[in-house]
Amino acid sequence: MRVSGAELFVKALREEGVRHLFGFPGGVVIPVFDVLYSHKEIEVILARHEQGAVHAADGYARSSGRTGVCLVTSGPGATNTVTGLATANFDSVPIVCFTGQVSRSMIGNDAFQEADIVGISRPITKHNYLVLERRDLGRIIKEAFTIASTGRPGPVLVDLPVDVLKEKGDSDYPRSVTIRGYNPTTAGHSGQIKRAAQALARARQPLFYIGGGVHISGAVEVLRRVVEKTRVPVVHSLMGTGAIPSDDPLCLGMLGMHGTYAANMAVTHSDLLFAVGVRFDDRATGNLSKFAPGARIIHVDQDPLAIARNVPVEIPIVGDARLVLEAIEPLLEAPAIDAWRVRVEAWRAEHPLAPEAPAEGSRLGPHRVIQAISRVFPDAIVCTEVGQNQMWAAQFFTFRHPRSLLTSGGLGTMGYGFPAAIGAQIANPERRVVDIAGDGSIQMNIQELATAVAQKLPVIVAILNNGYLGMVRQWQELFYERRYSSTCLTTGADCPPDCPGPGDHCPIYRPDFVRLAEAYGAMGLRVCREEEIEPALRKAAACTDRPVFIDFIVDREFNVFPMVAPGAGIDTMILGPEGGRP
Ligand SMILES: Cc1ncc(C[n+]2csc(CCOP(=O)(O)OP(=O)(O)O)c2C)c(N)n1
Ligand SMILES: [Mg+2]
């Protein structure tokens, strides 16, 4: 049977099991949207901005493990996907993003709405394609889905010229493909796995260092068994949050720039770091010359390029984290580390995560909001924006489930959390999804409120409204003599040039998030006092057919501690507002 490229495209999606497509139309992709119009089994979620569509596909994928799919038009539609693709690429999220393109004969002629999206997206995708022949369409789509979801996952972009979409051709869609030069390793090397087990048995100050790869590979269960069997303490990266429950006695929390005192001290004094699915990102390691100076390092990762890129690794194991941990599990013995555990516990007791208390009469402590969210919605999928809100969410929410913290770790994309929450809610209609947001970040994809209202999604957005681009302000406070250049969100034309800092003289905060939510048809609530936090969250919990924005007016100059100054080793932490150092 001969069908159009657009018909084959939709058939391919159906055979891939795609149930949701995040999209935004335009001239060259009308043929595809036209076919989708009569195929109701694929639900098209109309975003309000292409960046929102890609982040939604990303949240869908991160929360469910299924590949997220989006479809946008050429030119500006395609360029609007760039931040979403880069975000997903950094955090290894499987997405297939289809972009329309001008007709093949027009490519390179500055045609209307032409952009070389394959060139633009090359460094921020796992792979990308321009479909130049109608006969290659089915194979390329199959390859795209295969590459996105296997090995170290990532976004794949497929650029579809409009005349390819209109051309009639074969209706066959391949069941499988072999891709030359693409053969991700899955099982780890058995000799290396044995060496790793022996090293762990002999270690006296060992630590597991866990990252996002553990969620991606579905290794959470086996990891928990391995930790239980060995009783070795665990630290995790931001992306590894929730792999071990935050309240597990062996979980020391996050390491790095805003890591816990116990995690950073344990890394610094460990003699063996057993790293699984991590990148040794600079936000986690701090100054590399001071990172884990006495530790032998075992590194399990799917991506051979991630191994030994930042730190010397003694026992590299390339492979899927779940398969490697399953292979090592029977070989493991619990090391004799009672003395080490006592030291680790002492660090934990010495400096628990104890944020500065807000001054008398001042506004809410943001950590109180997050602790309350954790109590009212203990099983929620938590999305975050970027900045202080993100770090407080990681520090103060008790994560107990895998794939429950969706946050832009690598790229640090403000505006990620809300559209990601929309995608997560669509993939998980039975769960509560809460976006912990900053008042700056939320405005970067605020238009997706229209999407959430249209889809009747009860996503809860908890805005920690501090009137600042708070994380940048924190750096200015600590390292730039409180010169709050371009970080105050209440600044107006009438402000004096030498602002004395926040106070009653400040202009009224705009926008009014409550009225903004209501303008979109969502519920809007405002909370100014501690005793109002839980009632507001319970009111939000009772709302099941539309999004809720809660504007939490928090202390304006509250900081995230501990903090490792940029360039310092992670054992040198600023522990609180007085700047006390260990
Ligand atoms: C798209 C983007 N632009 C700029 C930044 C730099 N940046 C990091 S955190 C931050 C402040 C975010 O402010 P807000 O959302 O209010 O969060 P807060 O830190 O106050 O919780 C900025 C500007 C970024 N991460 N992403
Ligand atoms: Mg803010």
Side-chain angles (χ1 to χ4, degrees):
M1 200 174 74
R2 288 172 67 74
V3 299
S4 73
E7 285 167 314
L8 175 58
F9 172 91
V10 174
K11 176 181 173 181
L13 260 47
R14 284 168 55 201
E15 298 211 355
E16 290 297 330
V18 174
R19 296 202 293 276
H20 297 99
L21 174 75
F22 299 90
F24 201 87
V28 294
V29 283
I30 294 177
V32 183
F33 279 94
D34 187 63
V35 180
L36 287 166
Y37 195 59
S38 39
H39 277 280
K40 296 299 175 206
E41 64 268 47
I42 298 174
E43 196 183 333
V44 179
I45 288 99
L46 174 66
R48 297 306 193 264
H49 186 300
E50 291 85 352
Q51 185 185 349
V54 184
H55 289 327
D58 174 315
Y60 185 93
R62 286 193 211 217
S63 62
S64 69
R66 302 199 293 271
T67 299
V69 183
C70 37
L71 170 65
V72 303
T73 194
S74 65
T79 55
N80 271 351
T81 66
V82 165
T83 302
L85 293 172
T87 303
N89 196 46
F90 232 131
D91 292 343
S92 312
V93 183
I95 287 180
V96 180
C97 178
F98 296 96
T99 47
Q101 183 55 278
V102 300
S103 293
R104 284 166 288 181
S105 60
M106 312 271 274
I107 292 176
N109 289 355
D110 283 353
F112 176 65
Q113 293 196 326
E114 179 186 359
D116 174 13
I117 194 61
V118 165
I120 292 168
S121 67
R122 183 162 291 125
I124 51 162
T125 49
K126 184 173 175 188
H127 197 52
N128 64 17
Y129 296 90
L130 169 62
V131 183
L132 284 171
E133 299 290 345
R134 165 66 181 79
R135 64 170 179 275
D136 294 335
L137 181 62
R139 174 183 57 80
I140 287 176
I141 296 177
K142 186 75 204 176
E143 288 187 8
F145 275 94
T146 306
I147 291 173
S149 61
T150 53
R152 177 178 177 174
V156 178
L157 181 136
V158 183
D159 202 19
L160 303 164
V162 60
D163 56 329
V164 171
L165 293 173
K166 288 183 180 162
E167 190 178 320
K168 296 247 178 198
D170 219 312
S171 69
D172 290 345
Y173 184 66
R175 284 196 174 275
S176 65
V177 277
T178 30
I179 304 164
R180 215 188 312 148
Y182 181 73
N183 243 329
T185 311
T186 46
H189 186 281
S190 60
Q192 295 290 80
I193 289 174
K194 263 190 217 121
R195 279 182 67 205
Q198 284 161 3
L200 189 72
R202 281 201 293 268
R204 289 300 164 261
Q205 283 127 247
L207 264 188
F208 284 111
Y209 164 25
I210 300 304
V214 168
H215 293 290
I216 293 169
S217 70
V220 166
E221 272 177 39
V222 60
L223 171 74
R224 292 182 180 189
R225 288 200 305 272
V226 161
V227 171
E228 191 51 46
K229 183 169 181 187
T230 58
R231 311 293 300 157
V232 168
V234 180
V235 301
H236 58 79
S237 67
L238 178 64
M239 306 309 286
T241 305
I244 293 292
S246 315
D247 54 355
D248 186 302
L250 286 169
C251 179
L252 304 182
M254 185 165 75
L255 82 168
M257 182 172 272
H258 293 295
T260 64
Y261 180 74
N264 286 344
M265 294 308 276
V267 169
T268 305
H269 293 276
S270 69
D271 67 354
L272 183 101
L273 208 51
F274 194 132
V276 188
V278 295
R279 293 187 292 115
F280 291 87
D281 173 66
D282 55 270
R283 281 289 189 273
T285 63
N287 186 325
L288 277 176
S289 66
K290 299 185 179 141
F291 179 75
R296 306 168 70 189
I297 296 182
I298 300 167
H299 188 183
V300 179
D301 206 279
Q302 176 71 76
D303 181 359
L305 297 178
I307 292 184
R309 182 164 46 198
N310 298 336
V311 293
V313 172
E314 191 177 312
I315 308 179
I317 306 176
V318 180
D320 175 84
R322 181 174 63 79
L323 296 179
V324 171
L325 289 179
E326 283 173 358
I328 204 169
E329 185 183 6
L331 311 179
L332 289 174
E333 294 161 31
I337 56 168
D338 287 348
W340 173 236
R341 275 193 287 262
V342 170
R343 264 180 98 185
V344 164
E345 277 318 308
W347 283 318
R348 201 206 299 262
E350 206 178 326
H351 294 289
L353 272 181
E356 53 185 329
E360 189 108 344
S362 78
R363 299 199 259 184
L364 284 177
H367 59 301
R368 296 266 182 253
V369 176
I370 291 164
Q371 287 163 335
I373 294 172
S374 196
R375 282 194 303 276
V376 177
F377 302 106
D379 301 318
I381 295 173
V382 173
C383 302
T384 77
E385 302 296 337
V386 169
Q388 295 180 312
N389 59 87
Q390 178 183 35
M391 293 298 114
W392 287 321
Q395 290 181 330
F396 295 111
F397 190 93
T398 305
F399 291 94
R400 298 199 178 90
H401 306 291
R403 294 186 178 278
S404 288
L405 173 62
L406 314 187
T407 190
S408 172
L411 198 66
T413 306
M414 290 171 69
Y416 166 79
F418 181 41
I422 290 175
Q425 186 73 82
I426 287 170
N428 303 272
E430 74 296 345
R431 286 182 70 182
R432 287 318 296 233
V433 181
V434 182
D435 177 33
I436 295 176
D439 50 329
S441 300
I442 192 62
Q443 295 188 69
M444 287 212 172
N445 273 312
I446 194 85
Q447 75 289 340
E448 298 308 321
L449 245 179
T451 312
V453 168
Q455 299 288 333
K456 295 189 178 256
L457 301 175
V459 169
I460 296 167
V461 179
I463 301 173
L464 303 177
N465 186 339
N466 53 11
Y468 279 111
L469 299 171
M471 185 57 95
V472 182
R473 185 208 56 73
Q474 174 168 342
W475 284 49
Q476 291 170 331
E477 177 184 334
L478 297 177
F479 312 118
Y480 291 86
E481 295 162 2
R482 296 190 90 231
R483 289 158 58 82
Y484 294 167
S485 178
S486 290
T487 44
C488 179
L489 294 172
T490 66
T491 302
D494 299 332
C495 289
D498 47 348
C499 168
D504 294 339
H505 52 271
C506 293
I508 288 176
Y509 188 92
R510 296 275 189 251
D512 177 332
F513 287 113
V514 173
R515 288 167 61 200
L516 186 72
E518 286 168 358
Y520 274 99
M523 181 188 282
L525 304 170
R526 179 164 293 118
V527 171
C528 301
R529 294 209 313 265
E530 187 141 345
E531 59 274 22
E532 298 165 357
I533 300 176
E534 280 213 25
L537 291 173
R538 293 196 190 285
K539 198 164 175 195
C543 178
T544 53
D545 63 349
R546 64 197 158 125
V548 184
F549 266 38
I550 313 179
D551 190 22
F552 290 101
I553 308 298
V554 299
D555 191 285
R556 290 204 65 188
E557 293 185 288
F558 208 84
N559 285 330
V560 183
F561 291 120
M563 178 171 194
V564 176
I570 58 170
D571 60 334
T572 315
M573 285 160 271
I574 307 169
L575 290 164
E578 279 78 46
R581 284 162 201 269

